[in-house]
Amino acid sequence: MEWFEALALLLGSIVVLMAIGMPVALAFLAANIMGAWVFMGGAVGITQLLNNGFGSLTTFALVPIPLFLLMGEIFFHTGLGARMFNAIDRLLGRLPGRLSYVTVLGGTGFSTLSGSSMGSTALLGSLMVPEMTKRGYKKHMSIGPILGTGGLAIIIPPSALAVLLATLAQIDVGALLIAGVVPGLILAGFYIGTIWLQTRIDPDAAPAYDVDPMTLAARLGLFLRDVVPMVGLMIVIVIMMIGGIVTPSEAAAFGALGVLILALVFRCLTWEAIKRSVTGALKVTLMAYLIVFGSATFSQLLAFSGASRGLISWATGFELDPVMMLLVMFAVLLVLGMFMEQISIMLLTVPIFFPLAVQLGFDPVWFGLIMLLALEISFTTPPFGLLLFVMKGVAPKETTMRDIYLSAIPFILCSLCVVALLILFPSLALWLPGR
């Protein structure tokens, strides 16, 4: 069988199974079993493939996923996240567009820990949009920042999705997490600058309203009590990883322990919160582990059938400039993101794109960061980005898809600017990890 026939068989069976409604992880597992039967000698090949797949689940690099997820679940269910939102809101006072800033700052913290852009968008959309609408905010000031927080959350550590990508691509988890710090701060600056510019151009887009005055001592106390502990925990985790004091797995454990201690200190840790947090983290972890299993076996089948080697030889045979090839891969990710969920896209593209990126001479950590940004941008790309429809479902009834499209565009442009900066200056991502 020619390489393109093998590739069409493997990818085609996965697409068909997903199209008839089979869950992504199970679709990959079924297609892998079929591929092992065809390419690896029947029952013996299936046994070998399953053994290799189970071996991929025993890697230490997977440990941060459940711990980061547990950290985010506790942060949400104990009410620590709500405390931080409320504190930031009060501290910003009469600043024009302050609820938009609150959405970016507080929403990024929650999205980063939760690891789910769709869940975060649904939560923030149902929580913040009605409040901002009641305060007289125009739609682009309430919807845009919520759609934008996903792009920021996916690259600033701790990010469960970044850990999963690094595991699937078999690259250094800690390096990929640390690589997102500087680009993430730049993107945050772009977002804040966008909100400031929008309020300057149209002051009525986010009208100021009266708030209870606070003394400087009260502001300082609120900041130290309700903001510093939560934000400080994330900063400490990042610094510990950058300094090489802990591994990503140890940092995740410290993070989960830190959130538990904070919940105890603030007297908001209940058995009900613990039960909900563990249940939520367990559900997502099981899904992630099934996905890792499916991806590992899928990569092996692509290699064994010759599909990976053939595809790379075909792609590099065009003799395109490496940057042009990067843009082609970026465009593919954007198109796929209009129809598929991020993890599904990873499963399809990581086994193909990462070997090709290495062949083209790209640093795998740098390429991983580019891929993370592409996945998040694709989620808000009109007309079919999935987050756009999530937002439509939770926004006020009078909100049209045109309103959502126009709200997303400025924040998409911010993310594209960061991608352009990373292409022009790769050191922005590679300096902190020391690559």
Side-chain angles (χ1 to χ4, degrees):
M1 187 179 293
E2 295 290 338
W3 69 266
F4 52 85
E5 294 173 329
L7 183 65
L9 176 64
L10 292 170
L11 291 180
S13 59
I14 291 169
V15 171
V16 169
L17 290 173
M18 287 195 295
I20 63 175
M22 183 176 286
V24 174
L26 296 182
F28 267 84
L29 183 60
N32 290 342
I33 291 174
M34 180 202 68
W37 185 275
V38 173
F39 298 112
M40 299 178 70
V44 175
I46 293 174
T47 301
Q48 180 62 43
L49 192 73
L50 293 176
N51 288 336
N52 293 342
F54 283 117
S56 68
L57 296 179
T58 60
T59 174
F60 193 63
L62 287 174
V63 173
I65 293 177
L67 291 173
F68 278 147
L69 289 172
L70 181 61
M71 183 179 173
E73 292 286 334
I74 295 172
F75 186 74
F76 172 65
H77 287 295
T78 58
L80 290 174
R83 292 181 71 102
M84 187 173 73
F85 267 105
N86 294 334
I88 294 173
D89 182 32
R90 293 182 64 191
L91 287 169
L92 292 178
R94 288 179 53 84
L95 179 70
R98 71 188 181 100
L99 289 179
S100 298
Y101 293 113
V102 169
T103 300
V104 170
L105 297 174
T108 298
F110 174 75
S111 303
T112 302
L113 291 171
S114 71
S116 170
S117 297
M118 295 180 70
S120 299
T121 299
L123 174 70
L124 292 171
S126 58
L127 179 69
M128 299 298 292
V129 173
E131 180 67 22
M132 286 192 269
T133 302
K134 185 172 70 175
R135 301 287 185 182
Y137 280 55
K138 292 186 178 178
K139 289 185 173 63
H140 67 275
M141 294 298 296
S142 60
I143 293 172
I146 294 174
L147 294 173
T149 56
L152 193 53
I154 198 172
I155 59 174
I156 292 182
S159 168
L161 199 62
V163 174
L164 183 58
L165 176 64
T167 304
L168 296 178
Q170 297 182 346
I171 61 178
D172 189 331
V173 174
L176 182 59
L177 287 171
I178 295 169
V181 173
V182 174
L185 293 175
I186 294 173
L187 185 55
F190 283 167
Y191 283 175
I192 291 171
T194 299
I195 294 171
W196 178 84
L197 189 62
Q198 288 173 327
T199 57
R200 294 286 291 182
I201 293 173
D202 182 10
D204 293 332
Y209 54 90
D210 292 331
V211 293
D212 295 332
M214 294 179 64
T215 64
L216 180 60
R219 287 176 178 272
L220 184 60
L222 184 64
F223 178 72
L224 292 176
R225 185 182 69 248
D226 289 349
V227 178
V228 169
M230 288 56 148
V231 176
L233 178 61
M234 289 182 268
I235 293 174
V236 168
I237 290 172
V238 173
I239 291 175
M240 289 171 72
M241 285 193 294
I242 293 174
I245 300 171
V246 297
T247 65
S249 300
E250 292 165 344
F254 277 117
L257 178 62
V259 173
L260 276 173
I261 293 173
L262 287 177
L264 281 171
V265 170
F266 284 104
R267 298 182 180 180
C268 54
L269 185 64
T270 64
W271 282 115
E272 182 64 22
I274 293 175
K275 185 172 70 174
R276 289 184 178 182
S277 300
V278 172
T279 301
L282 182 61
K283 287 179 180 178
V284 181
T285 298
L286 288 174
M287 180 193 70
Y289 274 51
L290 275 175
I291 285 165
V292 171
F293 183 93
S295 177
T297 51
F298 183 63
S299 301
Q300 292 167 14
L301 276 175
L302 287 178
F304 194 86
S305 64
S308 294
R309 183 173 62 255
L311 182 62
I312 291 172
S313 299
W314 174 77
T316 54
F318 288 109
E319 297 183 356
L320 291 176
D321 183 87
V323 174
M324 287 301 299
M325 285 298 301
L326 175 67
L327 295 178
V328 169
M329 290 188 281
F330 193 86
V332 169
L333 292 170
L334 291 185
V335 173
L336 289 176
M338 296 181 187
F339 308 100
M340 298 173 64
E341 203 269 334
Q342 295 159 320
I343 297 176
S344 306
I345 300 171
M346 285 186 190
L347 284 168
L348 282 173
T349 58
V350 164
I352 298 170
F353 281 9
F354 269 85
L356 181 57
V358 172
Q359 185 77 17
L360 293 170
F362 297 138
D363 184 284
V365 171
W366 174 85
F367 180 75
L369 195 59
I370 295 286
M371 187 170 179
L372 285 173
L373 280 167
L375 289 173
E376 202 57 51
I377 293 170
S378 70
F379 248 26
T380 55
T381 303
F384 301 117
L386 292 181
L387 289 188
L388 303 175
F389 293 97
V390 173
M391 178 58 69
K392 182 67 172 73
V394 299
K397 291 182 179 180
E398 67 274 11
T399 305
T400 65
M401 288 305 299
R402 182 176 181 273
D403 294 329
I404 296 174
Y405 292 159
L406 293 176
S407 301
I409 288 172
F411 293 89
I412 292 173
L413 293 176
C414 289
S415 297
L416 289 174
C417 287
V418 172
V419 172
L421 286 174
L422 287 174
I423 294 173
L424 293 173
F425 309 104
S427 59
L428 290 175
L430 302 178
W431 171 63
L432 271 183
R435 297 178 69 90

